[in-house]
Amino acid sequence: MQLRIGAQLNMTPQLQQAIALLQLSTLDLRQEIQQALESNPMLELDEDFGEQEIATATDEEWATDIPDELPLDNQWEDIYPDMAPESPGGSSETPDFERNSVAETLSRHLGAQLAMLSLDERELQMAETLIDALDENGYLSLSLEELCQGLHAQGLEGLRVSELEQLLPRLQQFEPSGVFARDLRECLLLQLAQLPADTPHLPQARRLVRHFLEALGLDNRKLLRRRLGVEDEVLDTIIATIRTLDPRPGQRFENTEQGYIVPDLILRRSVQHGWQLELNPDALPRLRIQPDYAALVRRADKSDDNSFLKQHLQEARWLMKSLSSRNDTLLRVGREIMLHQQAFLEHGEEAMKPLILADIASAVEMHESTISRVTTRKYIHTPRGVFELKHFFSSHVGQEGEAHASTAIRARIRKLISDESPRKPLSDARLVSLLSESGITVARRTIAKYRESMGIPSSSERKRLA
């Protein structure tokens, strides 16, 4: 036998519910509320704002054990491991977003054209597989060999890669021009093949794309003139023709995974009161206790029906209290974040201040894990756009006392590169010098890391046509 002394944090089911609601996004919380409305007869939507409160709202018989405030500041991972949030595509959408399902997508557009071809069952299965293999740009994301292996696994026996190669040119005639290409060069050649035969210097344009596309990207006009055997005026015409082509033909269609962001908070500025932060009234439905069922709870008997109503009434009260605590916590954290980042509201991302979770946690007297749950998948509508609350957190870069937010440095790098000369782009060393003149001391490797994270190529790759 052993005697042990230890401390353990016990959480009531009601507190677990409150913390779980705190980390849900708006769309997930709508689904949770909808499930509660379907399972609890004591809850109903409050659509009539002038509805009078029920007389039994303060009945001590069933409301004595609900505290005024729910202590949401607990480390959830101490009791249960954090669960990864569901992806937007994995959860069912609310009725408000049903119109997104009828948007014109690339696969639906190509499927309509496929129905007009005369194909047998075998070719139809091959064509549908090729359509499914397209990425958002309209390119084939898998090689024909990989697609052939996948079709073998689906039961299409005896299929050879040559059969896919014979079918592919027929699909490459679909609109938009350039789809089913395997790389940029093939995409541009497919579009050039559909141009009118009297297009000026069309053979030279095809030769340029087929053999000298890299030289065009580096703006090596001297090499292009020598290899194509043309003068500057003709080369300008050829380049102008290539510029009319679409390197990403699939992006003009709706993305089926694209969703709508419903902001949880709205930030407004008035002349009398300055910046004001409030909850979005349209984000969540308003709940209330069903007055007819609540009136039945006042009966003194202990029948099964009355116990059933009391139990659901208590659950409804806890849910409404948890939602109220969630909203209060979200407002407190949002106001503190906007107070720290007021310069961003006035001047943009270049004025973003360094901010970490510990700063907000200390200001609102909560744990950092609570702040992390509050700011994850919670959005705020500002005059500068809609942002996730985590967007306003940025690490310190620079010496102590002269630190700058990494987000602000990224914004300055983006602005400097956007204003550079296309024929003489700024190198990383030059960016370090320009930032130093503005009082920002950053290493060259930091500039390279930020530039790559924003998808900006190096100076040699950015050299383009003027």
Side-chain angles (χ1 to χ4, degrees):
M1 297 179 62
Q2 294 181 351
L3 180 64
R4 295 181 181 178
I5 299 177
Q8 182 179 2
L9 177 63
N10 292 324
M11 301 175 67
T12 63
Q14 292 81 8
L15 183 56
Q16 294 176 16
Q17 179 193 48
I19 296 178
L21 294 180
L22 184 64
Q23 62 186 4
L24 291 179
S25 65
T26 300
L27 295 181
D28 294 336
L29 188 57
R30 280 185 176 183
Q31 295 178 2
E32 192 74 18
I33 293 176
Q34 184 61 35
Q35 292 177 3
L37 287 170
E38 294 173 357
S39 61
N40 194 334
M42 302 300 296
L43 281 174
E44 69 176 7
L45 291 176
D46 187 6
E47 300 177 353
D48 299 326
F49 297 102
E51 187 72 21
Q52 196 172 15
E53 289 292 334
I54 59 176
T56 58
T58 59
D59 192 357
E60 297 180 356
E61 181 182 357
W62 41 262
T64 55
D65 57 344
I66 299 182
D68 294 334
E69 295 183 359
L70 292 178
L72 299 179
D73 188 26
N74 289 276
Q75 289 182 272
W76 179 257
E77 60 272 12
D78 291 342
I79 307 301
Y80 302 104
D82 285 343
M83 298 179 62
E86 296 182 2
S87 61
S91 59
S92 59
E93 294 182 342
T94 57
D96 292 340
F97 304 109
E98 288 180 354
R99 61 180 179 274
N100 195 36
S101 61
V102 297
E104 181 70 11
T105 63
L106 178 61
S107 60
R108 184 177 291 110
H109 181 72
L110 296 175
Q113 300 178 65
L114 180 63
M116 302 176 64
L117 292 182
S118 177
L119 301 176
D120 56 29
E121 184 177 352
R122 183 183 181 90
E123 292 175 331
L124 182 61
Q125 185 176 354
M126 294 163 51
E128 291 176 346
T129 301
L130 289 171
I131 292 178
D132 293 337
L134 296 179
D135 60 15
E136 64 275 5
N137 296 323
Y139 292 2
L140 283 174
S141 57
L142 299 174
S143 65
L144 295 183
E145 290 77 10
E146 293 173 325
L147 293 174
C148 186
Q149 295 176 3
L151 287 169
H152 284 162
Q154 297 177 17
L156 202 60
E157 300 178 356
L159 178 66
R160 294 175 295 178
V161 178
S162 59
E163 296 183 57
L164 292 175
E165 293 176 346
Q166 295 175 2
L167 178 62
L168 185 60
R170 301 177 64 182
L171 302 181
Q172 288 177 342
Q173 302 301 316
F174 285 1
E175 290 292 335
S177 178
V179 292
F180 294 100
R182 284 158 283 193
D183 53 31
L184 176 61
R185 178 177 283 104
E186 186 177 14
C187 177
L188 299 180
L189 287 174
L190 289 173
Q191 297 180 55
L192 288 174
Q194 297 191 18
L195 291 180
D198 57 351
T199 301
H201 311 291
L202 184 58
Q204 291 88 342
R206 293 174 180 169
R207 185 163 180 255
L208 189 155
V209 172
R210 184 176 290 109
H211 301 290
F212 310 114
L213 193 59
E214 292 78 9
L216 177 62
L218 296 175
D219 192 22
N220 194 339
R221 300 176 66 89
K222 183 177 180 181
L223 175 63
L224 293 175
R225 287 197 306 269
R226 184 173 70 253
R227 294 299 178 88
L228 296 178
V230 296
E231 299 297 332
D232 284 336
E233 295 78 5
V234 177
L235 182 60
D236 291 340
T237 303
I238 295 174
I239 294 175
T241 301
I242 296 176
R243 281 183 172 178
T244 61
L245 307 179
D246 187 0
R248 300 178 180 87
Q251 287 196 347
R252 69 184 70 173
F253 294 89
E254 287 283 348
N255 187 355
T256 55
E257 296 182 357
Q258 181 180 6
Y260 294 86
I261 293 179
V262 180
D264 302 84
L265 300 171
I266 297 178
L267 185 68
R268 296 187 177 94
R269 186 174 187 177
S270 61
V271 180
Q272 296 82 3
H273 305 93
W275 293 105
Q276 289 186 323
L277 185 67
E278 60 186 19
L279 292 169
N280 183 7
D282 299 328
L284 296 175
R286 294 166 57 95
L287 300 178
R288 70 172 183 178
I289 303 297
Q290 215 287 335
D292 296 332
Y293 288 154
L296 299 177
V297 180
R298 301 186 63 180
R299 298 188 316 180
D301 58 50
K302 297 182 179 180
S303 62
D304 294 339
D305 294 340
N306 201 36
S307 300
F308 173 84
L309 292 176
K310 284 184 177 181
Q311 178 183 354
H312 283 79
L313 180 59
Q314 186 77 331
E315 293 176 359
R317 286 282 171 186
W318 268 108
L319 176 61
M320 296 175 65
K321 190 65 180 179
S322 299
L323 292 176
S324 177
S325 298
R326 176 188 185 273
N327 294 337
D328 293 341
T329 304
L330 187 60
L331 269 178
R332 289 179 58 193
V333 174
R335 285 168 180 165
E336 195 64 33
I337 292 175
M338 291 298 100
L339 183 62
H340 279 74
Q341 299 295 1
Q342 189 169 352
F344 162 80
L345 301 174
E346 302 286 349
H347 307 289
E349 285 192 342
E350 296 183 18
M352 188 84 78
K353 299 296 183 183
L355 184 63
I356 57 178
L357 292 175
D359 297 334
I360 301 299
S362 176
V364 299
E365 299 181 348
M366 291 183 176
H367 197 273
E368 292 183 30
S369 61
T370 304
I371 304 301
S372 178
R373 285 194 294 268
V374 173
T375 55
T376 301
R377 297 188 298 166
K378 311 298 190 305
Y379 295 87
I380 179 173
H381 183 277
T382 71
R384 293 191 174 273
V386 178
F387 301 93
E388 188 180 9
L389 289 179
K390 280 192 178 297
H391 174 78
F392 299 99
F393 291 92
S394 183
S395 59
H396 299 69
V397 177
Q399 301 295 329
E400 191 67 25
E402 299 179 356
H404 298 270
S406 59
T407 304
I409 297 177
R410 286 186 174 91
R412 294 195 176 216
I413 293 174
R414 191 185 303 111
K415 185 176 186 302
L416 289 172
I417 292 178
S418 64
D419 296 338
E420 69 184 3
S421 172
R423 294 188 176 274
K424 192 176 181 181
L426 300 173
S427 63
D428 292 344
R430 180 56 180 162
L431 290 172
V432 171
S433 176
L434 293 175
L435 291 176
S436 179
E437 295 175 1
S438 302
I440 303 176
T441 304
V442 186
R444 187 184 65 82
R445 62 178 179 272
T446 305
I447 297 291
K449 181 181 71 174
Y450 288 170
R451 176 177 52 75
E452 292 173 358
S453 67
M454 294 184 292
I456 300 176
S458 62
S459 58
S460 60
E461 296 174 342
R462 294 200 308 273
K463 191 174 182 180
R464 292 293 185 266
L465 301 173

